[in-house]
Amino acid sequence: MTFHAFLIKYAEIAIKGKNRYVFEDALVKQIRLALGKISDGFQVNKEPGRIYVYCPEEYDYEETVAALGRVFGIVYLCPVMIFEDQGFDQTAKDIVSYMQAVHPGFSQSFKVFTRRAKKSYPIPSMDFSAKIGEILLTAFPQASVDVHQPELNLSIEIREKIYVYSQNITGAGGLPTGTNGKAMLLLSGGIDSPVAGYMIAKRGVVIEAVYFHAPPYTSERAKQKVVDLAKELALYTGPIRLYVVNFTDIQLAIYDHCPHDELTIIMRRYMMKIAEYLAKKDRCLGLITGESLGQVASQTIQSLAVTNEVCSLPVFRPVIGFDKEEIVRRARRIGTFDTSILPFEDCCTIFVAKHPVTKPDLRTIQRSEKKLEGIVEELFQKAIAETEVIIAE
Ligand code: ATP
Ligand code: MG
């Protein structure tokens, strides 16, 4: 038995007043994009207060559920079986066969809820529910009716045809992509930044990304790993424009002219500056990093303050308060973890000092950076001019 449609349930969007239509349209668009990759036979219909996805005759159920499960804005998806309306007796038989197929040997408590969209249907909703309830009790003698806290809600929508559903598959939640502006993710090959990008994207934000590499100190494989991570994120967010910035010359200049215990913090300030430059060019309204307070020397509160000082855009750090295990758990759930732990060096690990400053002082850092004046500006321009753009999808 195959399902004919999915009812898409969305909560947060529904409460957004007049904006509701904007959000619903964005959700419909994202659902179409997600399913379009599987088949062009899906039909996505917006109706008052609900969205239905009608399936082609043949489709891969698991793949479809997985694709819908990655669309931000969906709270639940309900697989629906649709029967022709051939009178009550046949409908009752169809519903029993639905239950036998979907919940074989059903023995729990249940409630039938009927919604009569077709007002000309001869049986009122309450009567319809009661009659179906009785028939199900006969068909499933172990089952019982509980109208207050049923273990199973069986929903029936009477339309031109009869729609039956009872399963709620948890969706990704959040808000549909494209409803909340755009931000630039600093995407490294680590565990944290993909999770950070996911969390902001989940709030409806379109994501672009920037990766700093340092050839020949970092390998092509390290870069490919970041491209792969961007592709994994793109399954949720839609295509991601990924900037790959060659950071070698800037890093070498810092290495040659600045105190080595300040390398990381100065380098991070330059990363943020370049990221912000690219962000502004593309009208991104914020930056995103995977920083987590106290995780490493460059993520003490003093270091974050010094890093932040070079930016005028807001910097979103959604994993700031998470322990590593919490970030790992999310990375596994999102599906980026296995790629993140591939053992390719990232550009920070090569130029790190043995004892980096953990409580940098802004004025000291600024004094050190003075030594780069007359050198770094040109390197900055060159890095930007030579930036490679990859569309990850
Ligand atoms: P991650 O797991 O995301 O790599 P991390 O714990 O390794 O984070 P850091 O290396 O200190 O932490 O980097 C902190 C943040 O700075 C990263 O989460 C990321 O947003 C950004 N970042 C670090 N290195 C790079 C890089 N090479 N390219 C782009 N962004 C980077
Ligand atoms: Mg890292």
Side-chain angles (χ1 to χ4, degrees), residues 188-190 346 348:
S188 68
D346 87 40
C348 313

Side-chain angles (χ1 to χ4, degrees), residues 210-246:
V210 54
Y211 166 59
F212 297 91
H213 70 154
Y217 302 98
T218 61
S219 65
E220 198 56 29
R221 291 213 295 173
K223 172 180 151 187
Q224 188 55 45
K225 174 176 159 183
V226 175
V227 174
D228 291 344
L229 285 171
K231 284 185 183 167
E232 284 163 12
L233 278 181
L235 289 173
Y236 301 88
T237 64
I240 295 178
R241 170 182 281 262
L242 169 68
Y243 291 99
V244 179
V245 178
N246 186 329

Side-chain angles (χ1 to χ4, degrees), residues 29-42 44 56 59-60 63-64 66-68 70-71 177 230-240 391-393:
K29 181 179 160 192
Q30 293 306 322
I31 293 171
R32 286 193 178 129
L33 281 175
L35 295 179
K37 288 183 202 149
I38 300 178
S39 154
D40 50 15
F42 289 98
V44 187
Y59 71 100
D60 184 326
E63 192 185 11
T64 305
L68 288 172
R70 288 190 294 260
V71 176
T177 303
K231 284 185 183 167
E232 284 163 12
L233 278 181
L235 289 173
Y236 301 88
T237 64
I240 295 178
I391 305 296
E393 57 188 339

